[in-house]
Amino acid sequence: KSGLDPGGAWHAWGMACLKAGNLSSAREKFNRCLKPPVDLNQLNHGSRLVQDVIQYLEATVKPILIADDDYFATLRELEATLRTRSLSLEMMCEGKIQHNSYYQECLFYLHSYGTNLAIISFYMRHDCMREALLHLLNKESPSEVFIEGIFIPSYESGKLHMLENLLETIDPGLESWGVYLIAACKHLQRKNYYHILYELQQFMKDHVRAAMTCIRFFTHGAKSYTELGGKQTWLLKIKDHLKVYLQEVSRSSGRKKMAFTFRKKMSATDVSRHINTVDLQMEVTKFLHQCESSGTSQMTGSSLPTLFGNNNMKMDVACKVILEGKNIEEGFGIAFRVLQDFQLEATEVYSKVAKQLVKQQKYSEIRQLLKCVNESGVAAKNDGDNIILNCLNEFKNIPAEDLDNLIQDMDSDENKIQAYVMCQKLRSAYLVSVRQEKARAVQLVQHVWQLAESSGDDVVKAICAQWL
């Protein structure tokens, strides 16, 4: 009469019936106030009212047989009970749920008014993981329901192996679980749970992704190559995963289609290239570990470069290897292979090394570097000259004798003149200029004369003027 919402009254009445043990009456009362969710896959446990009912039933658990209670049931309720039972028949859990009317009641309310997540969570709470998984599959629930309802509770309670066994039992090829497993991997990555991730990837036989996780184990948090030296087992594991993947690819290439749809794919040439990278990284790690142990190591950087980074990082590795040996020659061979394998800009790396040697005042080693570059057999004509020119920006810090020696080592006279001009050695630039063919010599001397005039070097200006 007063137009108030009767839902609260029906709910209270239903709860009173439950407490009195009159389950069929309770169903009738709740039927008037409970509604099924609009979206069964929403990530919650349904309405508060349904949760109250389930909570009460789970807390009570009286061994009343269904037959006693169903004596009072109307035909409509009986039909609903049968419908619920047929829904959960193929996924009935052995033991207490099957034989207990209160648990059966829970299932009735969950199937009638609960979300898929609520049903799955109920099964998980009562150690019925298999039923939870079957319900997930039957309802084709989204991966978020799997993560929230099954996966997180499994690894948090240490039941990941049990989950893996069940996934395999239900579908030995794991194909029907593909979407859920990939979502689980992404979830673990976001959480930074890399050890669980690696365990899961091995179970999935997703060898390429497992190898990528091993790379992270190898590189993450290492501050020195001494530390990386102690982590070399991860490099061996990367190789193992990639080799197994190659075997699987070659085995399945005879068949028309590779079955593993959710596992990461990679071409055989790419896999071979990655195996080669791992081999090279092992060599680099052994070499730099040795250098750090023997105390020849000089460079300290904020991050530790490895061959698993981008091209700039790979170039840093090459520089580090050349600079950290007992001498330039010792590490040059490995660095040269890094440059060749990854087709890096060699001159840029050599110039970086030369600048570093200037800072360390190891001028004789710059000459050794040039010797190695020339003997490598792939250096272009002007590579050596360009390396010297690139490190002359620091000429003010280089003693005069060492500076002269470096410039004298250059092949091209034009480059020597450019170097002398850069270092403001105009007299030396003049002396090389006059040795050139007449027409070119005139141009070069004129250029030196202009520079002498602008810098106020009257002596060189007079010499140039006289020659001209």
Side-chain angles (χ1 to χ4, degrees):
K1 284 178 182 177
S2 56
L4 294 172
D5 175 25
W10 285 118
H11 187 260
W13 197 350
M15 288 302 285
C17 291
L18 274 189
K19 286 169 186 172
N22 191 347
L23 301 184
S24 56
S25 295
R27 284 189 187 192
E28 187 198 340
K29 308 300 178 276
F30 285 129
N31 188 40
R32 295 171 184 272
C33 64
L34 298 179
K35 291 181 178 62
V38 183
D39 175 15
L40 286 171
N41 286 320
Q42 60 199 41
L43 286 182
N44 58 43
H45 290 253
S47 72
R48 184 69 254 169
L49 301 179
V50 177
Q51 289 180 55
D52 287 346
V53 173
I54 302 301
Q55 236 168 342
Y56 174 76
L57 286 168
E58 281 185 297
T60 308
V61 188
K62 289 180 185 170
I64 298 171
L65 291 174
I66 292 173
D68 299 346
D69 199 65
D70 279 357
Y71 182 75
F72 303 100
T74 63
L75 281 170
R76 196 181 73 249
E77 287 166 340
L78 191 59
E79 188 188 3
T81 311
L82 288 169
R83 192 172 70 247
T84 309
R85 243 182 258 153
S86 68
L87 271 172
S88 52
L89 195 60
E90 67 175 275
M91 49 182 84
M92 264 332 298
C93 193
E94 288 301 315
K96 58 184 178 181
I97 287 189
Q98 196 168 5
H99 302 300
N100 189 289
S101 60
Y102 274 66
Y103 281 126
Q104 284 302 307
E105 258 341 81
C106 285
L107 285 173
F108 166 77
Y109 286 109
L110 285 168
H111 280 287
S112 304
Y113 311 110
T115 60
N116 285 327
L117 181 60
I119 297 166
I120 284 168
S121 298
F122 174 80
Y123 281 132
M124 290 295 284
R125 275 200 303 280
H126 299 289
D127 296 327
C128 297
M129 194 187 280
R130 185 170 190 278
E131 288 66 31
L133 287 167
L134 288 171
H135 183 84
L136 180 89
L137 268 192
N138 291 344
K139 297 295 177 187
E140 295 178 352
S141 291
S143 47
E144 291 81 8
V145 174
F146 170 73
I147 300 294
E148 286 295 317
I150 299 175
F151 188 63
I152 294 175
S154 294
Y155 73 69
E156 284 184 346
S157 60
K159 291 180 181 170
L160 191 60
H161 280 295
M162 183 181 167
L163 172 63
E164 289 171 353
N165 290 339
L166 280 168
L167 293 175
E168 215 163 18
T169 307
I170 295 167
D171 177 3
L174 299 178
E175 282 307 312
S176 45
W177 304 115
V179 178
Y180 300 118
L181 288 168
I182 294 296
C185 289
K186 285 178 181 169
H187 163 80
L188 293 170
Q189 210 164 356
R190 276 197 304 276
K191 290 271 191 183
N192 284 335
Y193 294 163
Y194 284 94
H195 287 279
I196 304 175
L197 175 64
Y198 182 52
E199 148 74 30
L200 188 63
Q201 286 166 337
Q202 289 180 92
F203 161 71
M204 290 159 65
K205 297 186 173 59
D206 193 347
H207 294 292
V208 175
R209 287 194 180 97
M212 289 156 80
T213 305
C214 291
I215 290 174
R216 189 190 182 276
F217 284 134
F218 175 70
T219 56
H220 186 69
K223 297 281 187 292
S224 69
Y225 261 88
T226 305
E227 275 180 55
L228 286 184
K231 290 173 143 194
Q232 286 189 78
T233 45
W234 289 114
L235 293 177
L236 295 171
K237 284 184 180 178
I238 298 169
K239 271 182 77 170
D240 290 344
H241 284 301
L242 294 175
K243 281 177 178 172
V244 171
Y245 177 78
L246 271 183
Q247 285 164 5
E248 285 182 359
V249 171
S250 62
R251 267 207 304 271
S252 62
S253 59
R255 300 172 213 156
K256 282 188 179 173
K257 188 185 171 211
M258 196 168 169
F260 314 131
T261 49
F262 62 89
R263 298 174 178 93
K264 190 168 177 64
K265 293 183 180 59
M266 194 179 272
S267 71
T269 46
D270 280 350
V271 174
S272 302
R273 208 177 64 244
H274 286 306
I275 290 174
N276 190 38
T277 300
V278 174
D279 285 335
L280 203 45
Q281 180 62 54
M282 285 174 107
E283 218 172 312
V284 166
T285 306
K286 279 176 191 158
F287 178 75
L288 290 175
H289 181 198
Q290 214 176 336
C291 293
E292 284 179 6
S293 306
S294 62
T296 58
S297 175
Q298 300 274 341
M299 289 174 80
T300 49
S302 52
S303 68
L304 198 64
T306 68
L307 298 178
F308 300 117
N310 58 20
N311 276 359
N312 285 340
M313 195 186 262
K314 289 176 182 129
M315 286 161 92
D316 288 346
V317 171
C319 290
K320 198 172 171 65
V321 169
I322 295 174
L323 286 163
E324 295 209 359
K326 287 198 286 288
N327 52 44
I328 293 296
E329 221 167 322
E330 192 185 22
F332 189 84
I334 298 173
F336 183 70
R337 275 177 49 211
V338 170
L339 297 175
Q340 291 289 294
D341 281 13
F342 299 107
Q343 298 179 329
L344 302 172
E345 194 53 62
T347 316
E348 198 180 322
V349 171
Y350 299 145
S351 298
K352 253 187 176 178
V353 171
K355 283 178 183 172
Q356 199 65 34
L357 290 170
V358 169
K359 276 186 189 165
Q360 294 172 11
Q361 300 180 341
K362 295 180 176 175
Y363 308 110
S364 60
E365 294 205 12
I366 297 177
R367 301 175 83 177
Q368 198 183 359
L369 172 68
L370 296 173
K371 180 171 170 280
C372 289
V373 171
N374 290 328
E375 286 172 359
S376 68
V378 294
K381 191 182 170 208
N382 274 333
D383 276 1
D385 288 6
N386 288 333
I387 293 165
I388 293 173
L389 285 171
N390 279 326
C391 67
L392 288 184
N393 298 330
E394 311 290 325
F395 75 91
K396 289 192 175 79
N397 305 328
I398 305 175
E401 189 184 340
D402 291 304
L403 190 58
D404 272 338
N405 286 340
L406 282 175
I407 297 173
Q408 289 298 326
D409 280 347
M410 288 177 137
D411 292 325
S412 143
D413 280 350
E414 295 270 344
N415 288 334
K416 282 181 185 172
I417 294 164
Q418 191 186 336
Y420 282 129
V421 167
M422 272 175 76
C423 302
Q424 296 161 9
K425 290 177 167 285
L426 297 182
R427 184 184 171 84
S428 301
Y430 162 78
L431 290 171
V432 180
S433 299
V434 295
R435 290 209 304 265
Q436 307 311 303
E437 182 250 322
K438 208 46 163 258
R440 183 70 185 129
V442 170
Q443 289 175 335
L444 292 168
V445 173
Q446 277 177 333
H447 178 57
V448 175
W449 178 78
Q450 284 166 352
L451 291 169
E453 186 174 45
S454 59
S455 65
D457 190 337
D458 294 333
V459 178
V460 174
K461 186 182 160 189
I463 296 170
C464 290
Q466 188 182 352
W467 187 86
L468 288 166

